[in-house]
Amino acid sequence: MKKMEEKILSEATVLPGGVLKVGSFLNQQIDTVFLKEIGAEIARLFEDSGATKILTVEASGIAVAVAAGMAMELPVVFAKKNMTSNMTGDVYSAGIYSFTHRVEKDIMVSKEYLPEGEKILIVDDFLAHGSALTGLIDIVKQAKCEVVGCCAVIEKGFQNGGANLRNRGYRLESLAIIDEMTDVSIIFREDGFTSLI
Ligand code: 5GP
């Protein structure tokens, strides 16, 4: 998505440790007009997927998943990172490791929201080492549902999550794939579009 690349180049900053900060339009402040376009693009990419539900993980995946859900007219379920008092009944859970925060966490989804047989599109804001998406895939499998696709808004292609998921045969679409990133330049996959930031 060309506009995603342009948005990253004009607004994102590179933090130490290979972390891209997109707080101005996705992770803290949300550009709602652009978010609508993101939802429409995800809907276009997965219109033939047969998805019946979208799954993401709190917190930063929710906005994108809801945008996609509104465009596709599908319900959205998000995995929680903490057991809250309003989570009743049995849950599916999986462990994920956050390389940005350097912590291991369990993510949980109440079983009632993932009945057997649903066709699940998994959506998240970032794909880096793939732990979040792999944990969500694990939960979908536990629920005896099917993963019909995975979508990341921004994939950091220099980390191995995307390659691993594609090698495992998952249909993975990312709206922008960054192949190289330094504090002065970003190189995107496919068009080799490079720019100083
Ligand atoms: P993974 O599990 O693929 O290693 O990392 C994906 C998760 O970590 C995403 O849910 C996202 O919230 C966070 N994340 C990973 N890399 C970045 C990054 O460069 N910038 C931001 N803002 N979040 C990231």
Side-chain angles (χ1 to χ4, degrees), residues 24-72:
S24 70
F25 66 93
L26 197 62
N27 278 165
Q28 185 159 16
Q29 173 171 260
I30 293 174
D31 180 336
T32 55
V33 174
F34 188 49
L35 184 67
K36 219 170 169 181
E37 292 176 43
I38 292 172
E41 178 65 2
I42 295 173
R44 188 188 68 77
L45 289 167
F46 289 96
E47 65 184 347
D48 62 346
S49 67
T52 59
K53 209 167 250 200
I54 295 175
L55 179 66
T56 189
V57 55
E58 70 175 357
S60 52
I62 295 176
V64 176
V66 169
M70 289 172 79
M72 298 172 85

Side-chain angles (χ1 to χ4, degrees), residues 82-97:
N82 292 296
M83 193 78 188
T84 52
S85 56
N86 58 0
M87 268 188 106
T88 53
D90 277 350
V91 296
Y92 297 114
S93 70
I96 63 166
Y97 181 77

Side-chain angles (χ1 to χ4, degrees), residues 18-20 27 60 99-100 124-132 156:
V19 173
L20 191 70
N27 278 165
S60 52
F99 286 88
T100 33
D124 203 3
D125 60 339
F126 272 88
L127 170 59
H129 298 275
S131 183
K156 294 190 293 184

Side-chain angles (χ1 to χ4, degrees), residues 91-95 107 109 111 114 135-145:
V91 296
Y92 297 114
S93 70
I107 56 169
V109 177
K111 288 186 176 176
L114 281 184
L136 291 168
I137 289 171
D138 187 1
I139 284 175
V140 173
K141 283 188 177 159
Q142 291 173 42
K144 298 193 171 66
C145 294

